[in-house]
Amino acid sequence: MNRAREKPDSKSGVTCDGCGANIPEGEDREHYGQVLCEDCYMDALSPSRTCDPWAVHSAKRLGDKTGGLQTNALQDKILGVLAETGGIEPRELAQRLGIKPVELERETAALRHMEKLRGELREGRKYIVLW
Ligand SMILES: [Zn+2]
């Protein structure tokens, strides 16, 4: 009854469930039952760790399509709210406008590409502000 583990690593060598890296002793983190390395743990905790919340490549793709700098009605509304609030969390913005987060993301990505708004981290939270 001593052949319990399939993994050769015991206490001193833990493998990250996220990226498979070997985690030095004492640096493993637990997250919802997963053992994660520091990096994966940070990722798991803060998906918006990068300061650019919206993928640049999707903005580019959108930009190629629209090509111009014209905003649509919804985008105008978004900019209006930003001007009014001086910055707002995406979730709240979507609520205000009564649209789905995914719709908001599409519009903000386009607006980002037009350099009309940008993402900003305030105390670790993601905000959308005017450019
Ligand atoms: Zn990892």
Side-chain angles (χ1 to χ4, degrees):
M1 68 183 263
N2 223 352
R3 53 200 304 261
R5 299 195 157 226
E6 304 119 46
K7 289 181 187 172
D9 35 29
S10 58
K11 268 186 183 172
S12 58
V14 187
T15 307
C16 171
D17 286 337
C19 65
N22 211 286
I23 309 169
E25 186 173 8
E27 286 183 28
D28 56 301
R29 303 275 183 271
E30 217 185 298
H31 185 69
Y32 292 116
Q34 285 189 306
V35 179
L36 299 174
C37 69
E38 186 80 37
D39 278 352
C40 291
Y41 183 68
M42 293 300 283
D43 274 345
L45 281 192
S46 54
S48 58
R49 182 167 55 138
T50 50
C51 60
D52 182 356
W54 299 285
V56 172
H57 59 261
S58 75
K60 272 190 186 144
R61 241 186 289 129
L62 274 171
D64 288 345
K65 223 186 212 175
T66 53
L69 295 174
Q70 280 177 335
T71 52
N72 63 33
L74 183 53
Q75 290 167 347
D76 283 341
K77 271 197 217 169
I78 292 172
L79 294 174
V81 174
L82 293 183
E84 188 191 314
T85 58
I88 189 169
E89 286 185 274
R91 193 171 21 122
E92 207 188 320
L93 180 55
Q95 264 173 21
R96 269 195 186 224
L97 298 170
I99 60 175
K100 295 193 197 104
V102 64
E103 291 177 282
L104 177 68
E105 229 166 274
R106 195 173 52 216
E107 302 303 336
T108 51
L111 287 167
R112 262 194 92 253
H113 185 69
M114 296 180 221
E115 301 194 349
K116 292 194 178 292
L117 61 75
R118 59 195 172 83
E120 186 177 284
L121 275 185
R122 293 184 186 172
E123 287 161 17
R125 283 168 34 184
K126 195 168 80 179
Y127 278 76
I128 303 174
V129 297
L130 286 177
W131 189 271

